[in-house]
Amino acid sequence: MTLRDFLRLTRRRLGTIIASTLLGAAAAAGLLVLLPTHYTSQATAYVRVSVPKSASGSTDSNVYFNASQLAAQKVKAFVPLFTSESVAQAVITQLNLSVSPTELAADLSASNAANSLTINVTATGDSPERSRQIADAVVNQAAVQVRRLEGASSPVQVVMMAPASLSQVEKSPSPLKYMAAGVLAGLLLGYAFAFTRQHFDTRLRTAADITDRFEVPILAVLPQSKSIARTEAAADSDFQSAESVRKLRTNLRYANVDKQARVILVTSPLQGDGKSSVAANLAKVMAAAGDDVVLIDADLRRPSVADTYSLRGPLGLLQVLVGSVDIENTIRHGLSVLPAFETPPNPSELLGSDRMAELVRYLSRDRVVVLDAPPVLPVTDAVVLAHLADSVVVVASAGHTRAEQLDQTLEAIEHGEGAVAGVVLNRAASSRLARMRYGDAEYNYAYSQSEYARQGRPTPPSSTPRPQSHSEELSETRRMPVISSDDEEAFSHAAAQPVQRTVAARHPASHRLKRAESEDLL
């Protein structure tokens, strides 16, 4: 894992990491409350050997050497005496403690530093003053025991060198140590949980998540916006949404520079990814740019275009495919809609029929056809239609579509001889909190209208005219008229022509699927 990956993990899982850290601190605080508090003090004893003086008042150096050797031997022998039960009993009697000698002896410790004649005594009590009293009493009672064991005439003595009042009292458990350990443990557990979740969470949230796994172009990143869901992204009131849809239109035009796409199929891995809204908005902005556009609701299982444009049945795509109605009148400039109302028992067969191919071929002669196709993974309808399209646009829902689902979708379209122009990341979070967690959705160049106003700059003109009213908008969006009998000959002639399409280059499927970009299209 690189530093960039670590920072991205921290940014995306910051909430989990902070929650785990706070949980570790809370656990440490709970232990501090539940565990009893103890205080530890230390006193130091010194072992000395009295050296008698001669009649002349001088002392031989050999006598001092022998005394030091004796003291070094005795100090090691006296260490266990300080923690013995006999000394503990004497301390209990002196301080009037309500514990047993065994319990008090367990709270005592004694040690002798190498090449020294000192013994460090450590005592634990329920208060700082009590721990000091016990430490000093242990040294004094040990001196009494040594005098009793060695005899009154023995030159070896134990004396107080440093009382416990001179030492610093230590509190156990230490709040600082426990809190630091709790925070550190919570932080480590938080990162471990975040890394595990990041490893197994394959949901696609940003354009970088897609480009890191697939070599497929990102046509646009559409923000989570109600105007897109209502097919009103072309309105200037939502500048970010309008600019994102216009960018999709522009990138589609440059996806294949050799031949402009006349048939565009919009699909998604699963239902609910927003493909119908993307298809409707794409058709509207292309029509606003001056193209003759036909939006066909090819999702015969769950048609939604009619509801989007408030169209009423029953005549639609199904009736055209089964031949119950003819296409009449010439298509006028602007946006036309061929909705679907009824769900047939055999939608895949109808969409894969020659009649459907003839219809798409005829309509695409002098206009752009946008096919709102069903999702790829639940049904095969979109795969059946893929070979009819010059460009296939796959819509992925940010935070919902998984990498393996997009992988399977791209592979299915490729097997159906469809040319994937790119992926549209729909419903990308655009709030400031989301930008902190996942980074900016795109390239940091977009401004909202309020940002232009704050900078004293005029709002960029929209290439999409705002409709004057809802009725005027619907007047430009009409049901697909059918061709008259005079146009049957032209329709039949178009059916005899081979379908014009661009087939994507075939690549072996892998976890990091390598897809053909625009320059790889044949």
Side-chain angles (χ1 to χ4, degrees):
M1 175 180 287
T2 63
L3 178 61
R4 180 169 175 247
D5 295 335
F6 178 78
L7 294 177
R8 180 187 298 179
L9 173 66
T10 303
R11 186 174 65 241
R12 289 193 174 186
R13 306 297 178 184
L14 185 60
T16 300
I17 295 172
I18 292 178
S20 179
T21 303
L22 294 178
L23 184 61
L31 287 177
L32 289 174
V33 174
L34 296 177
L35 293 177
T37 303
H38 299 288
Y39 299 89
T40 302
S41 299
Q42 181 176 296
T44 304
Y46 182 79
V47 178
R48 73 180 182 182
V49 177
S50 300
V51 179
K53 295 183 179 180
S54 63
S56 61
S58 62
T59 304
D60 189 0
S61 61
N62 291 331
V63 177
Y64 274 112
F65 177 76
N66 294 333
S68 64
Q69 292 296 318
L70 177 62
Q73 295 175 3
K74 290 295 184 178
V75 71
K76 296 184 182 300
F78 291 162
V79 171
L81 180 64
F82 284 78
T83 57
S84 64
E85 294 186 4
S86 59
V87 173
Q89 181 60 57
V91 172
I92 292 173
T93 303
Q94 177 185 346
L95 300 178
N96 193 23
L97 302 178
S98 59
V99 294
S100 64
T102 303
E103 294 175 346
L104 181 59
D107 293 335
L108 301 176
S109 64
S111 62
N112 167 243
N115 301 322
S116 69
L117 300 179
T118 59
I119 298 176
N120 297 321
V121 179
T122 303
T124 302
D126 54 3
S127 66
E129 185 61 29
R130 178 62 71 182
S131 64
R132 292 193 183 101
Q133 293 176 356
I134 294 175
D136 291 342
V138 168
V139 174
N140 295 331
Q141 294 301 326
V144 173
Q145 292 293 330
V146 168
R147 190 178 304 112
R148 183 179 66 83
L149 294 175
E150 293 290 331
S153 60
S154 174
V156 181
Q157 297 178 358
V158 174
V159 295
M160 179 73 73
M161 178 178 174
S165 59
L166 300 180
S167 66
Q168 185 177 2
V169 179
E170 295 183 2
K171 183 179 180 181
S172 177
S174 173
L176 181 60
K177 293 181 179 179
Y178 264 62
M179 292 301 295
V183 170
L184 181 60
L187 187 64
L188 294 177
L189 289 177
Y191 269 105
F193 181 75
F195 178 79
T196 303
R197 186 177 178 184
Q198 181 81 358
H199 179 72
F200 290 101
D201 185 7
T202 59
R203 287 177 291 181
L204 305 173
R205 292 182 172 86
T206 64
D209 291 342
I210 299 176
T211 56
D212 287 347
R213 293 179 171 90
F214 306 93
E215 284 193 356
V216 58
I218 303 297
L219 297 176
V221 177
L222 305 182
Q224 189 169 9
S225 172
K226 293 181 179 179
S227 62
I228 292 181
R230 294 193 301 261
T231 69
E232 297 174 358
D236 291 335
S237 58
D238 192 344
F239 175 79
Q240 185 181 12
S241 301
E243 187 65 24
S244 300
V245 177
R246 286 193 290 265
K247 181 178 180 181
L248 171 60
R249 176 194 64 194
T250 303
N251 287 342
L252 273 176
R253 288 180 176 177
Y254 291 102
N256 191 344
V257 296
D258 295 331
K259 176 181 179 296
Q260 183 180 0
R262 307 295 299 178
V263 181
I264 302 172
L265 184 142
V266 181
T267 185
S268 63
L270 296 175
Q271 189 75 22
D273 291 333
K275 61 172 183 61
S276 297
S277 299
V278 173
N281 281 282
L282 176 61
K284 287 186 65 174
V285 296
M286 295 183 75
D291 295 330
D292 287 341
V293 183
V294 178
L295 175 61
I296 300 179
D297 191 350
D299 191 350
L300 297 180
R301 301 176 188 268
R302 292 185 177 181
S304 60
V305 173
D307 294 335
T308 301
Y309 292 100
S310 302
L311 302 178
R312 297 181 180 180
L315 301 182
L317 175 62
L318 177 60
Q319 287 70 30
V320 174
L321 294 180
V322 299
S324 60
V325 295
D326 295 330
I327 300 181
E328 60 182 20
N329 300 327
T330 304
I331 299 176
R332 294 180 285 120
H333 293 284
L335 173 61
S336 299
V337 177
L338 179 57
F341 297 97
E342 301 177 6
T343 300
N346 56 343
S348 298
E349 288 74 10
L350 287 174
L351 295 176
S353 63
D354 294 337
R355 183 74 176 178
M356 182 65 183
E358 294 168 4
L359 176 64
V360 172
R361 188 182 303 115
Y362 171 75
L363 294 176
S364 62
R365 288 191 310 173
D366 52 3
R367 61 189 61 84
V368 178
V369 178
V370 178
L371 297 173
D372 178 14
V376 173
L377 298 183
V379 294
T380 61
D381 299 6
V383 178
V384 171
L385 290 171
H387 73 281
L388 299 177
D390 299 320
S391 297
V392 177
V393 177
V394 179
V395 178
S397 180
H400 296 278
T401 303
R402 298 185 178 273
E404 56 270 20
Q405 294 173 346
L406 181 59
D407 191 355
Q408 296 170 10
T409 299
L410 297 176
E411 184 178 0
I413 295 174
E414 181 181 301
H415 289 167
E417 298 184 348
V420 178
V423 176
V424 174
L425 185 63
N426 191 29
R427 299 169 184 163
S430 57
S431 63
R432 292 188 176 182
L433 179 60
R435 289 199 298 270
M436 288 178 58
R437 292 183 62 189
Y438 306 117
D440 287 339
E442 288 201 83
Y443 306 110
N444 255 343
Y445 74 92
Y447 289 89
S448 64
Q449 287 183 313
S450 59
E451 289 172 331
Y452 272 94
R454 286 197 299 267
Q455 297 181 13
R457 300 164 58 187
T459 303
S462 172
S463 61
T464 305
R466 179 184 298 180
Q468 300 298 323
S469 64
H470 185 67
S471 59
E472 291 181 2
E473 180 180 358
L474 289 181
S475 65
E476 298 179 2
T477 304
R478 56 194 178 280
R479 187 192 312 272
M480 174 74 192
V482 285
I483 255 184
S484 63
S485 58
D486 298 335
D487 295 326
E488 281 293 332
E489 182 178 354
F491 191 24
S492 302
H493 176 71
Q497 301 298 323
V499 178
Q500 303 264 345
R501 63 179 183 272
T502 303
V503 182
R506 306 293 290 271
H507 295 271
S510 62
H511 179 68
R512 293 173 57 86
L513 199 61
K514 306 299 182 182
R515 298 288 173 180
E517 297 188 8
S518 59
E519 63 269 23
D520 296 327
L521 299 180
L522 299 180

